[in-house]
């Protein structure tokens, strides 16, 4: 599900991306999926929701999956949140 969401994002189909990533994130709330979801929300102009998701990603524990990928996602979320909020 998350992979399909990222693929939709990369094809600029943000509606499908948000749908798939939301469902994936509900099943597995990890930083990497949350980061892609926040990006898709931002692309849709849903900036408040994107900011909330970026913030949430920064608070998530790194307890499953590839630790390096999850830590990188948390750092990217913080950087993107700073860029989103002037």
């Amino acid at each position: 599900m998350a992979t399909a969401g990222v693929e939709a994002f990369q094809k600029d189909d943000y509606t499908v991306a948000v749908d798939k990533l939301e469902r994936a994130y509900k099943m597995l709330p990890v930083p990497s999926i949350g980061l892609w979801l926040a990006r898709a929300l931002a692309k849709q102009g849903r900036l408040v929701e994107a900011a909330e998701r970026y913030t949430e990603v920064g608070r998530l524990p790194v307890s499953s999956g590839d630790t390096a990928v999850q830590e990188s996602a948390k750092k990217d979320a913080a950087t993107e949140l700073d860029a989103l909020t002037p």
Side-chain angles (χ1 to χ4, degrees):
M1 184 95 40
T3 302
V6 171
E7 288 171 357
F9 179 93
Q10 292 170 335
K11 293 178 183 174
D12 299 331
D13 189 350
Y14 305 118
T15 301
V16 171
V18 167
D19 177 57
K20 301 271 186 203
L21 291 164
E22 280 277 6
R23 290 193 279 156
Y25 189 70
K26 285 179 183 174
M27 291 188 296
L28 184 63
V30 295
S32 57
I33 298 172
L35 174 63
W36 281 104
L37 175 55
R39 289 173 174 165
L41 289 165
K43 288 289 189 178
Q44 283 190 318
R46 297 164 61 181
L47 303 181
V48 172
E49 291 174 82
E52 290 171 351
R53 188 67 68 219
Y54 282 129
T55 301
E56 185 176 305
V57 166
R59 294 181 181 144
L60 288 173
V62 176
S63 58
S64 62
D66 184 333
T67 304
V69 169
Q70 300 308 328
E71 287 295 339
S72 178
K74 289 177 70 149
K75 289 177 187 171
D76 289 348
T79 300
E80 292 176 31
L81 176 61
D82 287 343
L84 183 67
T85 53

